[in-house]
Amino acid sequence: MRNRPSPLFANVVFVLSVAVLVAVGAWYLAGGGAQPASASLHLTQADWQVAQDAADFSAPPLTQDSKALAGAWEHAVLPSALPAAPDQSAGKVRTTWVRLSAQGQPMPSGPLALYGARLKVEGTVAVYADGRLVHRAQQQGQLWNSLFTPLWLVLDKRADDAPVNEILIRLEHPPAVRVGLSSLWLGPPEALRGRYYLRQWLQRELPATLSAAFLVVGIFALLVWMRRRQETDYLLFFNLAAVSFAGHLHYYVGLPILNDWFAWLTSNALFWLVTVLHLFLRQLHGRRLTWLTRAVVGVTVLTSVLTLPVVAVLPVFPSTSVLVPVMYAIVVLMAATVCLVGGISAWRRSSEGRLLALGLGVCTLLGVPDWLLHNNVISPEGWFLGAYTNAVTFAMFGFLMYRRYVNAIGKVEQLNASLEQVNAGLAQRLQTREAELELSYQRLREAEMRQTISDERQRLMQDMHDGLGSYLISAIRSVERGDASDLQVSQILKDCLDDLKLTIDSMEPVEADLLLLLATLRFRLEPRLEGTGVALLWEVRELPTLAWLDPSSALNILRIVQETIANILRHTRASEIRVGTALSAEGVQVTIEDNGQGFDVEKALGAAAGRGLHNQQRRAQAVDGKVSWESGPAGTQFMLWLPLERGGRQPLPQG
C-alpha cells in the first residue's frame, strides 16, 4: 500500500507555505521604511486652472512659473475629481494645471520623493518642482497607465540646498475628459517607498501574477483539449483564461500600446468573459436558455463591432474615457443577468453551476467600484477591485478542478478496490480450477501411461511375432523336415538373435537422432562382421533431428538397414561395406555400398522372388520413406530416403 502523509503533516506544510509568502510580502512591502511616514508632508490642498485649448498635444517647457499662467486659480481639496470646465474652443487638447504648495513646511535634508496613489487623466503628465521640469510622462494613448500605476518620483537635491516650495503638475487631455487627482506625499524616499510598493503590488503586480497563473493553467487545459476533443469543458476553460487575461491587461501593462485598440481589447474582453461564463454555466446545468444565449451573444457582438476604432472615429462616438464607463454599466448589467438566471437554472441541477454563478456574482460586485471610479463617484484614491476578478475566477475554477480531481481519484480508488476484490475472487477460483486441472492432468497422465505401456506391449508382441516368431517357425519347420543342415539352423538362430537385439535397440531413447540410431546398429554388427572378414567403412555426416523418430519408426529403419547388410553378407561375397549419410532437399539419405558381385534388381523384385526387398519397401513406406537399389558387376548401392517431417504415422508392415 502506498504511504500517504497524515492530515497533520499536510496542515503544517500549508501553514509554513503561507508563512513564507507572508514573510516575502512583508519584506517586499516594507521597502526600507527607516523613517516613519510622519516625516513626510501630506499635500491635500491644491489650486487648479484650465489653459486655452490647443489643436494637439505638445511638449512641456523645461521651466514653468505658476505665476506666469494667465488663468484664474480655483481651490480644490484632494483627493478629488476636478470639475469639467466649460468649452473654451473647438480644440482637441485641453491643458489643466494643478498647483500644490509646500512653502513654510519643515522638510528633511537629502533627496525627496513625490508619491501619489493615482493621476486620473487621459493624456500627458509633466511635473515641475519650483518651476523646473523634473518628470515627464507621455501618456497619450495610455489611459491605463495613470489609472493603475501610482505616481513615484524621486527629486534630485538642488545645489543651493533650498527646500521645495511648490509642485506644479501639467495635465494634457481631451476636453470631454475629467481629471482626477489623489492627495500627494512629499518626503524622504525611505519613508514613502512602503506606501508606493503597497499600492504597486496590490494594484498591479499581484493581479498580474494571478492573471499569468490563470493563463498558464488555461494553456494546460488547451493542451488537454487537443488530446481529448470531445471534452469541450477544457476548451471553454482556456477561452475563459485567455479572455480574462486580455480583459485585465490595463491593470498592469506598462508598454506603449495604442490607446484605441488597447481600450477596445480590454473593454470588450469583459463582454467576452461574461459570454464564456454563460456558456460554461449552460454546459454545467444542462439548460439551453436560447433566449439568454442569443441576447448575450448579440450584445457582445454588437458592442465589439460598434466600439471598433475604425467605427468609433465617427462623430457620434464619444471619447474612450466617456465610452468605457457606459460599457462597464452594460457589462455589469449583463453579468448580473447571467448570474441570476444561471444560478436559478443550476439550483437543483448542478452544484458546480451554483458555485460558478456565485463566483460570477462576486466578480460583478467587484466590478461596481471600477464603474464608480470611472464615473468619478468615489475618491480617486479608491481601489480598482476589478483587478481581483481574475483571482476569484481562478480560485473558483481551481476549486472545481480540485473537486473533479479528488472525485476522479476517489472513483479510481473505488475501482481499484473493486478490482482487487474481483481479482481475489478470480484468484481463488483460479486456484480451485488449477487444483481440478492438476488432478485431471494426473489422471490423464496415468491413463496415457497405461495406454503407452499397453501400446508398447502390443508393439513388442507384434514385432516379436513378425520377426522373431517367423524366424523360429522357419527353423522349426526346417528341423522337422530334416532338410536343414546344422549351419543353416545356426544361421536362422543367429537371425532370431539379431532381430531380438533390434527390438531391444528400438526401445532405447535416441532423441530423434538418426546418427545415434545407426551408431547403435553399428555396435551390434561390428562383432559379426569381424568374424566374416568384411570391412565396415563408416562415413556418416551430421544430420538434422527427425522429430517423428519414435520406437516403432526406429525399428523399421533398423530392420531395413539390417536386412540390407544381411543380404550383402549372404549373397554378394563382398569384402567391403561402406555406410554414409547425406542431407537432401526435404529429407536425409542413408547409403550402403558394397564391392560384391551384384544382382538383378528387377528379377529380385519380381513376383517369383522372395519377400526381402518387398519387406524393405513396405517398411520404408511405413515411415513415409523410399528405398532404391543400383547393382552391377562392381557392386551394389542401396539408398534409403527419410523425410524431415511427416504428416502422420503409418502402421507396421507385416512379415
Side-chain angles (χ1 to χ4, degrees):
M1 182 179 295
R2 182 178 298 176
N3 295 327
R4 295 183 178 179
S6 64
L8 177 61
F9 175 78
N11 293 334
V12 170
V13 172
F14 175 75
V15 171
L16 290 178
S17 301
V18 173
V20 171
L21 291 176
V22 171
V24 173
W27 172 83
Y28 178 79
L29 295 177
Q35 301 182 29
S38 58
S40 304
L41 179 61
H42 191 194
L43 304 176
T44 60
Q45 303 297 321
D47 296 320
W48 66 280
Q49 67 167 279
V50 175
Q52 186 70 25
D53 292 351
D56 204 348
F57 291 91
S58 61
L62 297 179
T63 60
Q64 180 65 56
D65 187 359
S66 62
K67 298 178 181 180
L69 297 174
W73 293 98
E74 298 184 32
H75 186 72
V77 179
L78 303 181
S80 174
L82 303 181
D87 291 340
Q88 298 180 2
S89 68
K92 179 181 178 182
V93 177
R94 176 169 295 173
T95 302
T96 299
W97 294 90
V98 180
R99 182 179 63 185
L100 301 100
S101 176
Q103 189 172 5
Q105 301 292 334
M107 287 291 172
S109 60
L112 297 177
L114 181 64
Y115 162 72
R118 178 170 294 110
L119 288 178
K120 188 174 181 293
V121 63
E122 180 181 351
T124 64
V125 176
V127 180
Y128 295 84
D130 291 337
R132 181 171 57 91
L133 181 64
V134 294
H135 175 69
R136 176 185 178 185
Q138 178 66 30
Q139 295 178 6
Q140 179 183 359
Q142 299 182 21
L143 174 64
W144 38 267
N145 195 19
S146 62
L147 285 177
F148 310 106
T149 302
L151 175 65
W152 177 256
L153 175 61
V154 177
L155 305 177
D156 296 332
K157 190 65 175 177
R158 294 190 300 180
D160 55 5
D161 201 23
V164 176
N165 294 319
E166 182 183 80
I167 299 296
L168 186 63
I169 302 176
R170 177 180 183 263
L171 304 173
E172 284 187 316
H173 56 90
V177 176
R178 292 182 63 184
V179 173
L181 183 63
S182 67
S183 61
L184 299 180
W185 291 81
L186 183 63
E190 295 79 7
L192 297 176
R193 188 173 286 116
R195 292 176 178 269
Y196 167 71
Y197 280 173
L198 177 62
R199 174 71 65 162
Q200 179 81 351
W201 187 67
L202 293 178
Q203 192 72 71
R204 292 190 57 185
E205 297 183 7
L206 181 58
T209 303
L210 295 174
S211 294
F214 197 11
L215 182 62
V216 169
V217 178
I219 293 174
F220 174 77
L222 176 64
L223 297 177
V224 174
W225 174 79
M226 293 176 66
R227 297 297 300 271
R228 303 176 64 87
R229 297 294 182 90
Q230 71 278 7
E231 299 185 13
T232 57
D233 288 352
Y234 292 103
L235 181 60
L236 285 175
F237 183 81
F238 165 73
N239 290 331
L240 181 67
V243 171
S244 182
F245 181 81
H248 294 82
L249 282 174
H250 55 290
Y251 287 107
Y252 40 79
V253 170
L255 299 177
I257 304 176
L258 292 177
N259 177 58
D260 293 339
W261 285 104
F262 187 73
W264 177 86
L265 173 66
T266 55
S267 300
N268 285 279
L270 299 178
F271 289 87
W272 306 336
L273 179 62
V274 174
T275 302
V276 175
L277 286 172
H278 167 67
L279 296 177
F280 222 122
L281 266 172
R282 198 179 70 166
Q283 183 120 346
L284 291 177
H285 59 61
R287 300 187 62 181
R288 298 178 62 87
L289 298 177
T290 306
W291 63 273
L292 182 59
T293 302
R294 291 177 178 176
V296 169
V297 174
V299 171
T300 301
V301 173
L302 183 63
T303 305
S304 301
V305 172
L306 291 180
T307 56
L308 284 170
V310 295
V311 178
V313 295
L314 298 177
V316 70
F317 288 96
S319 170
T320 304
S321 300
V322 179
L323 186 61
V324 167
V326 177
M327 295 178 64
Y328 263 74
I330 297 175
V331 77
V332 167
L333 179 61
M334 189 171 73
T337 305
V338 170
C339 172
L340 180 61
V341 177
I344 295 175
S345 301
W347 188 254
R348 294 186 178 181
R349 292 172 175 263
S350 171
S351 59
E352 293 183 347
R354 294 195 298 269
L355 178 61
L356 183 58
L358 177 62
L360 180 57
V362 174
C363 292
T364 304
L365 294 177
L366 292 177
V368 172
D370 291 19
W371 179 79
L372 296 176
L373 272 171
H374 277 295
N375 287 276
N376 301 308
V377 177
I378 60 177
S379 169
E381 289 187 357
W383 293 87
F384 279 94
L385 299 182
Y388 292 96
T389 57
N390 262 354
V392 175
T393 310
F394 189 20
M396 176 179 56
F397 279 91
F399 179 73
L400 293 181
M401 294 175 64
Y402 165 77
R403 283 189 55 188
R404 292 191 177 187
Y405 177 77
V406 171
N407 292 337
I409 293 297
K411 290 181 180 178
V412 170
E413 290 178 348
Q414 293 178 0
L415 180 60
N416 289 337
S418 301
L419 290 177
E420 288 178 359
Q421 295 178 357
V422 173
N423 291 336
L426 290 176
Q428 185 176 2
R429 293 174 58 186
L430 182 61
Q431 291 178 356
T432 304
R433 187 60 178 167
E434 286 179 349
E436 295 176 355
L437 290 176
E438 180 65 24
L439 181 60
S440 300
Y441 175 71
Q442 290 179 358
R443 293 175 180 175
L444 181 61
R445 185 169 55 185
E446 292 174 358
E448 288 181 350
M449 185 176 297
R450 289 193 297 268
Q451 183 65 35
T452 301
I453 293 174
S454 176
D455 293 344
E456 189 65 17
R457 184 184 294 114
Q458 187 71 23
R459 185 184 69 82
L460 291 176
M461 292 176 63
Q462 184 70 32
D463 289 341
M464 293 179 68
H465 175 271
D466 295 341
L468 182 61
S470 63
Y471 283 122
L472 290 176
I473 291 174
S474 299
I476 292 173
R477 290 178 179 176
S478 298
V479 172
E480 288 177 349
R481 289 196 305 266
D483 56 355
S485 62
D486 294 340
L487 182 60
Q488 291 176 337
V489 173
S490 175
Q491 183 63 40
I492 293 174
L493 293 177
K494 288 181 180 180
D495 291 339
C496 291
L497 183 60
D498 290 339
D499 192 85
L500 180 61
K501 290 178 180 180
L502 285 181
T503 303
I504 295 173
D505 290 341
S506 67
M507 299 175 61
E508 294 291 332
V510 296
E511 298 179 353
D513 191 350
L514 179 62
L515 296 184
L516 182 59
L517 184 66
L518 295 177
T520 303
L521 180 62
R522 177 186 179 187
F523 174 76
R524 298 292 186 186
L525 293 178
E526 277 188 337
R528 182 176 177 183
L529 294 177
E530 290 177 355
T532 61
V534 178
L536 178 62
L537 303 180
W538 199 258
E539 299 179 352
V540 298
R541 297 181 180 180
E542 190 71 23
L543 295 176
T545 57
L546 304 178
W548 51 266
L549 191 59
D550 55 11
S552 177
S553 302
L555 181 59
N556 283 326
I557 295 173
L558 289 175
R559 281 180 172 169
I560 293 173
V561 177
Q562 183 194 34
E563 181 73 19
T564 300
I565 295 178
N567 289 335
I568 293 173
L569 295 178
R570 291 174 188 159
H571 306 296
T572 64
R573 299 179 183 179
S575 61
E576 183 179 279
I577 299 176
R578 187 184 306 273
V579 179
T581 58
L583 179 64
S584 63
E586 298 180 355
V588 296
Q589 186 170 282
V590 180
T591 305
I592 302 175
E593 300 178 358
D594 66 77
N595 59 354
Q597 60 186 8
F599 66 97
D600 189 347
V601 177
E602 295 183 359
K603 183 177 179 181
L605 292 174
R611 299 173 56 191
L613 299 187
H614 290 286
N615 284 340
Q616 286 181 300
Q617 287 180 331
R618 285 195 294 271
R619 293 185 187 278
Q621 292 175 359
V623 294
D624 295 340
K626 299 177 183 178
V627 293
S628 62
W629 296 267
E630 293 182 3
S631 183
T636 302
Q637 183 186 57
F638 167 79
M639 289 177 290
L640 168 64
W641 180 87
L642 300 172
L644 293 175
E645 297 181 0
R646 290 180 57 189
R649 297 184 178 181
Q650 301 294 333
L652 290 173
Q654 302 295 325

